[in-house]
Amino acid sequence: MSHRDHHHDIAPIREEIRKGKGREFWRSLEELADTEKFREFLHREFPAVNPSEADPAWLDPVGRRNFLKLMSASLAFAGLTACTNQPKEYLVPYVKTPDGLIPGKAQFYATAMTMNGVASGLLVESHEGRPTKIEGNPDHPASRGGTTVYEQASVLNLYDPDRSQTALNLGDPRTWGEFLNELSRALDQQRQKQGAGLRILTETSTSPTFADQMNKLKAEFPQSKWHTYEPATRDGARVGSQTVFGQPVNTVYQFDKADVVLSLDADFLTNGPGSVRYARDFMGRRRLTDGASEMNRLYVAESTLTTTGAKADERLPIRASEVEAFARAVAAKVGVSGMSSALSGEAEKFAEAVAKDLKAHSGKSIVIAGEHQTAQVHALAHAINGALNNVGQTLYYTDPIEINPVDQIASISELVGELNAGKVELLVIVGANPVYNAPVFSGQTFLDAMKKAPMRVHLGMFNDETAVHCQWHIAESHYLESWSDARAFDGTVSIIQPLIQPLYNSKSPHELIAAMMNQGGKNSHDIVRDYWRTQPQFSGNFDQAWRQALHDGFIANTALPAKQVSPGLGGLSSLKSVTPGKYEIVFRLDPNVHDGRFANNSWLQETPKPINKITWDNFAIISSNTANALGLAPNEEPHRANAKMIRLVNEGRELEMPAWVQPGHPDNSITVYLGYGRERAGATGNGLGFNSYTIRTANTPFIATEKVELSAGEGKYQLAATQEHFSLDTSGIEVNAFITDDKDLTERHIVRTERFEQYKQELEEIKKDPRHSLNMHHGAHKPGKDLTIYPNWSYDKAKASDGREVDLHAWGMAIDMNACIGCNACVVACASENNIAMVGKEMVIRGRTMLWLRIDTYFRGGTANPQVYFQPMMCQHCEAAPCEVVCPVNATVHDAEGLNVQVYNRCVGTRYCSNNCPYKVRRFNYLLYGDWDTPSLKLGRNPDVTVRSRGVMEKCTFCVQRIMNAKIEAQKQDRKVLDGEVMTACQSACPTEAIIFGDTNDANSRVVKLKKEPRNYEVLADLNTRPRTSYLGVISNPNAELSGAHEGQKSGEKHG
Amino acid sequence: MAEAIQKNKYVDPRPPVIGPGHDFGSITRKVGDIVTMRGFKKGWIFGFAIVFMGSVMMFNTIAYLVLKGVGIWGNNIPVGWAFDIINFVWWIGIGHAGTLISAILLLLRQSWRNSINRFAEAMTLFAVACAGMFPALHTGRPWMDYYLFPLPNTMGMWPNFRSPLMWDVFAVTTYMTVSALFWFMGLIPDFATMRDTAKKKWQKITFAALAMGWRGDARHWHRYETAYLLLAGLSTPLVLSVHTIVSFDFSTGIIPGWHATIFPPYFVAGAVYAGFAMVLTLAIPVRKYYHLEDFITMRHIRNCCKVMLATGLIVAYGYMMEAFMAWYSGNTYELFMMKNRMFGPYGFMYWLLILCNVVVPWTLWVKKLRDNLKWIFVVCMFINVGMWLERFVIIVMSLNRDFNPAAWRMYYPTIFDFTMFFGTVGFFLTLMFLFIRFVPMIPIFELKTLLPQGKVDEKKVEELEHGKGPVGQSPLPQFGD
């Protein structure tokens, strides 16, 4: 059908829309679909769809046919909108400007995602209107191109088949219109009493538009109250700054300016607002490439071994409840008045050395307190930073970025109190899931209190624990489906623009709040736009400015200005301290599923958690000594994942969960990850792990000490770990006697490390005599290039079919282990880019994880406080690849650019290649792991990458599809592929630029420069596999004063 | 003169390889009756029922395997090969005795081979059939296995001739073909005998077809002997090559524990070791059940024991050398591999292997024990288990902890690993049961050559050739009586 015919047919319908319904069009799809004219049109256009029979069954969430019907109808509607004469809306600016939309060619749009309300700028890859892959926005201050695991995995949430798809009333599907009717009835009642019975509960938000809406709502219902709660609440930071400065402030750190950093239980590299930017800035100061000879130093005093602690030059394992005393001691030593040190032993020594170093770097240091630490610690950190003159130098204060900066535990406690008092008549829960994740209020769960509100409305992406106990549940739109805005860690505002029409009948929080103000038809696009139209940043040509903001991914000059505040420690004594008890339980957000919101995200579930490499579960982390004392000593190494149960009691509430002995954990402290034990997360997330919220009380949201009891539980529990845990030397984890034999692991030279002082000296020697090499390479053997019976291929030139000589590429990769923080962003990015199948807990236990990229973790030193090394490991693309020789069917071969390619169609699956791979990076589809059936998941796949079937081997391809795209582009422009033009998925996700990919034929490329670094080495080079991937050894910068105490552990030379 | 001859003549002090009191007729009856008897012996039916259930188990496992994928087994990454290849190598090893007995011992003129060779050849054939199933079914997409053959195709794709798996395909298929030919050829004269002695018509027709027109003609014999010798010559290098190439599956790999030059001889010896153990495992009960003590004598059994002792020594030397070379090389990975074998999480398997393959079989050095059938049977069972363990040690224990410690992982079999393995045992025994019942399991004609009347009197031949002796008397034994 030609466009003209189409236009002709649609005209009457369009007329109808224009005449009568206008904006209400989206509100009443069904209504429109019911008209005779539309039905006729649809029938003509899509004869397969018979709308008359479709209607009731559309609400069935699982039917494939129904889904297709829905999709085709959506398609038809999309066509409808395109044909109407609505004003042109430039919703989707191009970042790269292609000559129009070319089918098969990906487009990138700038948007942002919020975590705990705080935005991070993104570029989202879209294939024919379907977002498939998340990248960081290189221009955005919070991203600089990097992302976290959450952002990478968020695209899967969009296509989650278990998402809520429509409004539900008591579980029955309803239309938005029906909901609005009932809501307006309830609101009319409230209006009469100025909203005295109206309570709104949201999660943390930084959205200016939302703030504006809430203000207007408050004006309409002056007596109503707005409560904010989410488990990742930063109450300590808020209350701490309130105490010190008399007002809540937001602290922005500038790690690129800091020489010495002290973390007080802060996991700032992977957690909290701005962590991606912080990680990049921080690592920028210890990259040691291109002749850099300076390096910062990181001290970490922490309770749980985090990725930040793993990167520490000096680390002090200390109980969470003792961090305050430690901070006090440091404060006293750097000269904060009114402080005294009450430490002893190693902690005192550590504090002494830290304080000395901090003072020596006054104005060039940062002291940062952990998100879950108490207000006291935060207040002390402010005081120390003040005393060190760091304020204005390495950090500055701004107004809070949150729109409702309250003590969230207090806020939800107040709500519970009012619910109990029967004051709440209409409870609107926006996005939050308090029934699952609220703490326990003096023995009472949130659910008990919530049920006392006669009418409860829940907006959420899932029909979750809270939704099922609310009369009304409204499906919430994903951030890639609806408009919004949010602030980054420094206040920069991003417009969150959608890339796709909502897949289901979902609404955004803006639309819900608007509906409460009788604007039920207003869509989030108009709400956000109308708000910004009034703002000074958009004075002048609004459309142009708006387009620019969408294009850039943020609104220029919206970062909050530095604020002059003066600290006063007067209020410190009024703050409640945590008294260390015999035992303590530390509640932490799970590194993968966060507070549980990602429980149904299989990518995150299957990504091994940093350090302990466990998937699909949560567990109680304890130290080796505590485990022994409680009779929970773990099994010997290969069987460690069969964990013993531990019984935790907090304020009389009990929970049994598996105990995991982790090196570097302080004694008598138990770390418990939140976010598991969900009952209504969805098919993937239900019933995994243990719900630790049941023992988390409002009094002890993060650190419980006083009423804590621990004992050995009953039975055992199988955890799914992807790595057995080995240390690099004798003083490591005492497991199998022979494994810890002196040289077995160190002689493999897989991880190479050195101290900064020594490195500097050796660098001088190398400058004098290039034949020298670093001590870290000592003893490692690398056979000559010619020591092979196979020819050494040349990758310089090749003859094209027309006889011309063409330049070839020789792709290679360099990974800076010094910069790798083990955050897993690359792992999830790889899964997302390459359509990697998730296999589930049982299969992980069987050793069949499909992830192409893994972060190998090695320990060095005693169990008390080991050094931790992260080594991203993927296919090394060996020049003399052992896998290629042994494949009987030529399914894995070398290509003309030196890539080791896997031909899925040719692979019969003998698995010999994997057996013969010394790095064990190949992955085999033992069963049909790829999901070939779920319709929604099909939309999210990367169309450039095959979805593998069972029985074939797969592995890292160096993102060959991206290489091909870049080459085609270069060829079109008759030029070479530029350095940095091809970014592998892992590289582009990496917050610290630890992974660099490029053409090793190009002498000026970044990867060649890195490979020339003296730290460069190839893993298992002695096997003469000649990998294309090389690693840069780890340089640590310990404090000479302290390292004496750790000498044995650090150098690995201790015996006995 | 005759006395002088008598004096100088070497008199074999060993007991004869055939019991006393037999003539051509009794041999034919004794062996042939097992085939041509009416009905079935109760013990046979009972045994067959059990092993047939094993076959059924195997076929069910295969069906499920093809439907679901190799993931029903316990294999993982890093242990890509486990029971599948262990079983393959185990069965192939067992399949070695047959051809060795038939071909090499024939070439070496070891006449004692005659009563056990058919039996051993059948065993070989069935063991190779079981073995062949594993590489074919252990692939991820078994329906694509034809990619392993150098078939012409539109893509112009060839298999990778550098891959030892490719060599395996040729080695095993060749071995299978030649073994089958060799076995069938040896059967032809016996089929003729059966044709001539069978009473039932269908038996006559069947055996006639199988005998391919054999008439016992001198020219037949002449050609038969030549062809048989040629096939034996062809098979002999195969005995060595097949397991050599199977060992290349490992020794061309770079994995510590695989990458060893000792593998070919060590594997061949191991195969013969395993093969003889299996021959005895089967022969001892069959001999007793069918009262074949006269044909499979203690001398046969003792000889088999001696072969086992010899090859067992080579195998033990192999174990020793693996450990020695690990130490002598000074290679971290090799050294660790050896320590892992001995003291790692699967360490008990290694010591069990030493017990089964070295300690227990060496009791056969004691002559008294070599005469004790029950003990020999027990020892053979130990060797059968031991040889399986050897492959477990080599395959699983090398793969599960190789170069990169972060990728180390344990391997645990699933129920389907066991149903597949025991299923093939059942299938193998099913075929053996059918063979024993329907095919003469002892070569009748070759047995007859062992009788004194079967011996050619060379003097007489000379006389005949010079026209001095009675005319018309064939020096060769008569068949069919």
Side-chain angles (χ1 to χ4, degrees), chain A residues 637-639 720-724 726 736 738-739 741 743-745 747-750 790 843-849 854 856-858 871 873 882 884-892 904-912 914-929 950-953 1019-1020 1022-1023 1025, chain B residues 65-82 84 138-149 153 155 157-166 248-255 258 330-333 335-337 339-340 343-345 399-410 412 414:
Chain A
E637 186 41 63
H639 310 292
T722 59
Q723 187 188 330
E724 293 170 5
F726 296 103
N736 260 325
F738 78 101
I739 289 292
D741 193 322
K743 291 167 182 171
D744 282 338
L745 299 185
E747 275 197 354
R748 295 173 187 228
H749 301 285
I750 288 174
Y790 295 112
M843 287 292 136
V844 174
I845 291 173
R846 285 232 209 134
R848 293 172 183 173
T849 172
R854 54 173 210 259
D856 290 347
T857 306
Y858 296 95
Q871 183 171 57
M873 180 56 67
E884 289 171 12
V885 185
V886 297
C887 173
V889 295
N890 268 327
T892 184
Y904 304 129
N905 275 349
R906 181 71 184 171
C907 178
V908 298
T910 65
R911 305 187 289 285
Y912 198 173
S914 167
N915 290 345
N916 213 29
C917 172
Y919 310 93
K920 289 289 177 286
V921 289
R922 289 175 156 263
R923 298 288 174 260
F924 186 66
N925 288 275
Y926 275 102
L927 298 168
L928 183 61
Y929 293 131
R950 82 144 148 117
V952 297
M953 190 62 77
V1019 173
L1020 298 173
D1022 47 337
L1023 300 176
T1025 49
Chain B
L65 179 79
V66 174
L67 278 173
K68 284 288 282 185
V70 280
I72 65 168
W73 293 339
N75 302 34
N76 59 23
I77 305 287
V79 186
W81 290 347
D84 42 359
H138 96 296
T139 59
R141 305 193 295 167
W143 50 92
M144 294 295 185
D145 282 351
Y146 69 89
Y147 282 173
L148 276 103
F149 293 93
N153 59 67
M155 292 176 290
M157 287 283 291
W158 283 95
N160 179 9
F161 292 103
R162 294 185 298 172
S163 169
L165 292 190
M166 190 68 250
F248 286 166
D249 284 355
F250 309 105
S251 55
T252 58
I254 64 170
I255 302 301
W258 287 15
N331 184 309
T332 313
Y333 313 115
L335 215 56
F336 175 82
M337 175 277 294
K339 279 195 265 179
N340 184 42
F343 311 110
L399 285 174
N400 94 311
R401 289 181 165 183
D402 61 348
F403 296 104
N404 195 337
W408 292 354
R409 185 166 272 279
M410 295 293 284
Y412 300 103
T414 64

Side-chain angles (χ1 to χ4, degrees), chain B residues 160-390:
Chain B
N160 179 9
F161 292 103
R162 294 185 298 172
S163 169
L165 292 190
M166 190 68 250
W167 312 338
D168 247 10
V169 171
F170 294 122
V172 174
T173 48
T174 311
Y175 186 60
M176 180 86 194
T177 316
V178 173
S179 299
L181 276 177
F182 201 55
W183 179 67
F184 181 71
M185 220 176 123
L187 269 166
I188 287 177
D190 278 3
F191 279 138
T193 311
M194 299 310 295
R195 172 196 63 198
D196 298 344
T197 52
K199 308 221 164 39
K200 292 196 196 103
K201 188 149 191 196
W202 68 268
Q203 283 179 337
K204 279 184 192 295
I205 293 170
T206 314
F207 285 122
L210 289 168
M212 300 180 90
W214 181 270
R215 298 189 308 277
D217 193 316
R219 256 181 314 179
H220 283 184
W221 277 113
H222 176 68
R223 283 173 190 161
Y224 172 85
E225 292 286 355
T226 314
Y228 201 66
L229 208 63
L230 279 175
L231 268 180
L234 201 63
S235 307
T236 303
L238 283 180
V239 176
L240 304 175
S241 75
V242 176
H243 229 59
T244 299
I245 286 172
V246 168
S247 81
F248 286 166
D249 284 355
F250 309 105
S251 55
T252 58
I254 64 170
I255 302 301
W258 287 15
H259 192 65
T261 45
I262 199 171
F263 266 34
Y266 161 49
F267 263 55
V268 172
V272 174
Y273 192 40
F276 271 86
M278 187 56 91
V279 167
L280 285 184
T281 310
L282 298 173
I284 291 171
V286 167
R287 169 182 186 264
K288 186 158 171 61
Y289 187 69
Y290 286 107
H291 308 294
L292 296 172
E293 287 89 349
D294 286 348
F295 303 152
I296 305 173
T297 63
M298 276 318 287
R299 184 168 158 204
H300 288 104
I301 289 167
R302 261 181 244 130
N303 279 353
C304 287
C305 288
K306 285 172 190 167
V307 173
M308 286 191 330
L309 276 173
T311 48
L313 266 180
I314 302 175
V315 169
Y317 176 77
Y319 300 151
M320 208 175 76
M321 272 304 118
E322 279 189 317
F324 172 75
M325 288 313 294
W327 169 78
Y328 186 66
S329 68
N331 184 309
T332 313
Y333 313 115
E334 293 284 335
L335 215 56
F336 175 82
M337 175 277 294
M338 215 52 225
K339 279 195 265 179
N340 184 42
R341 274 193 187 175
M342 291 177 175
F343 311 110
Y346 294 117
F348 69 99
M349 299 282 262
Y350 182 79
W351 297 114
L352 208 58
L353 155 72
I354 299 295
L355 176 80
C356 290
N357 270 3
V358 181
V359 179
V360 175
W362 280 11
T363 55
L364 293 181
W365 287 112
V366 181
K367 188 165 184 299
K368 229 176 155 182
L369 290 174
R370 282 207 300 278
D371 286 335
N372 183 338
L373 275 177
K374 278 176 194 149
W375 179 245
I376 293 170
F377 186 77
V378 169
V379 167
C380 287
M381 289 311 280
F382 267 101
I383 296 173
N384 288 333
V385 173
M387 287 312 292
W388 192 92
L389 287 173
E390 180 191 302

Side-chain angles (χ1 to χ4, degrees), chain A residues 546-568:
Chain A
W546 177 254
R547 236 153 52 198
Q548 186 66 41
L550 291 184
H551 168 275
D552 295 345
F554 57 92
I555 304 172
N557 306 321
T558 42
L560 293 170
K563 198 177 162 89
Q564 292 305 318
V565 283
S566 47

